[in-house]
Amino acid sequence: RFHSDFEYVMPSGKKFSKRMILDLRQVYGTSPDFKIKIENVKMKHVPFSGGRVISGTYKEFQTGAKNSTTNNGRHTTVVFLAHPSSGKYGLQWLRIHETWLPEEEINKFDFTTIT
């Protein structure tokens, strides 16, 4: 679930709103070889937010995307808002901001482990 003020910043700096992300559903399945692996997930409640804001980071490795390099990696920072009416876990995505991982880190990753 996405908050109405949701924003996604790609590693290139291009920004997407909630509406733009939802419009991407039309391309679902057009890149059948696309796979993702997430590692090093770290999440914490933001101090002084009363437990309503959760921020975290993770590394994301991708392979097989049609409109990207064959293998790439991103460092991702996310912000969630706790919202009881938002599904099973009660969270809404508020922000995603990605940056490219350094090439030497991408070269060390074994992309054959992504299933």
Side-chain angles (χ1 to χ4, degrees):
R1 310 242 176 185
F2 297 106
H3 187 272
S4 58
D5 292 330
F6 173 79
E7 183 177 70
Y8 168 36
V9 181
M10 297 184 69
S12 65
K14 185 173 182 178
K15 292 181 182 181
F16 288 89
S17 66
K18 176 182 177 179
R19 183 188 54 76
M20 294 165 78
I21 291 293
L22 295 177
D23 288 347
L24 289 177
R25 289 181 181 180
Q26 65 190 354
V27 298
Y28 178 78
T30 61
S31 194
D33 297 327
F34 180 60
K35 297 176 186 172
I36 296 176
K37 184 171 186 179
I38 305 291
E39 294 186 342
N40 302 327
V41 177
K42 297 175 184 170
M43 304 297 265
K44 292 186 178 185
H45 284 94
V46 173
F48 308 107
S49 71
R52 291 191 28 84
V53 182
I54 301 160
S55 182
T57 59
Y58 57 85
K59 291 181 183 178
E60 178 179 316
F61 296 92
Q62 299 183 358
T63 188
K66 276 188 177 180
N67 298 319
S68 186
T69 56
T70 303
N71 296 326
N72 69 74
R74 302 143 187 256
H75 187 267
T76 305
T77 301
V78 296
V79 178
F80 295 99
L81 296 180
H83 197 279
S85 66
S86 293
K88 182 177 180 180
Y89 299 106
L91 296 175
Q92 289 183 333
W93 293 84
L94 180 63
R95 297 280 185 273
I96 302 173
H97 192 121
E98 297 181 327
T99 58
W100 295 118
L101 286 173
E103 193 168 329
E104 59 271 10
E105 190 167 350
I106 294 168
N107 292 337
K108 289 179 189 177
F109 184 77
D110 181 3
F111 283 88
T112 64
T113 64
I114 302 177
T115 57

